[in-house]
Amino acid sequence: DLLGTNAENMIKAVQDGAVTLYFNNSAKLATVTGGVNVTGELEADSLDIDGVAQIDGALTVGVDDTGYDVKFFGATASRYLLWDESADSLLFSDNAKLILGQLGNDLQLYHDTSNSYIKDSGAGHLYISGSQVNLRGSNDTLMFNGVEDGAVTLYHNANAKIATASTGVTITGEATATGFTGTL
């Protein structure tokens, strides 16, 4: 054992056993059969963990307004998830998927190098709900508008062409059909 000038513990060592380091007579670091136990906060300029890491409490990266980028790599090259602190955004690389559902591929949201996908392959229906639902083109022009308990309108080049009404439908422009059944 190594004691300080005021007889406080500094180091305790047991032959073929634990070594314990103290600060202000409180154990801070101790060797154990499975590795090392640290009591209190561990501060390091760098930390490289080659095995499994288990965190049993909250994990905080940075503090409010001074965060850091956090990157999670997948098993496939160039696929990762990135929290970009400067953009306040969660970014997915091409072909990295957001998958929702009971440990399956029920609902997928992803972008390959050319196209974007919302893919429902689970049981049941894909629901999109809202008091007013719009589908817009990449240039933000309206293609579809649905109003709860009201009209559903289809657009061509941002111009309304077919709209439902309580009495039927309204067609703006010409209607072309290969056949017609009904009464006029």
Side-chain angles (χ1 to χ4, degrees), residues 33-124:
T33 303
V36 177
N37 283 344
V38 176
T39 303
E41 184 176 310
L42 174 65
E43 291 185 30
D45 292 333
S46 173
L47 180 62
D48 184 359
I49 300 172
D50 294 325
V52 174
Q54 177 177 327
I55 300 170
D56 295 324
L59 172 64
T60 301
V61 179
V63 295
D64 198 19
D65 292 332
T66 60
Y68 297 92
D69 289 350
V70 179
K71 198 172 203 178
F72 298 92
F73 289 94
T76 305
S78 300
R79 293 194 188 165
Y80 58 87
L81 170 70
L82 171 67
W83 171 256
D84 184 338
E85 63 87 22
S86 63
D88 289 329
S89 297
L90 188 58
L91 309 174
F92 290 75
S93 65
D94 285 343
N95 294 303
K97 297 178 181 180
L98 172 62
I99 298 178
L100 305 170
Q102 186 59 35
L103 300 177
N105 293 327
D106 293 346
L107 179 63
Q108 300 177 26
L109 177 64
Y110 64 98
H111 178 80
D112 63 18
T113 56
S114 303
N115 303 297
S116 298
Y117 299 88
I118 298 174
K119 184 176 179 182
D120 174 32
S121 57

Side-chain angles (χ1 to χ4, degrees), residues 157-172:
N157 198 21
N159 295 302
K161 295 298 177 182
I162 299 175
T164 64
S166 61
T167 57
V169 296
T170 300
I171 298 174
T172 303

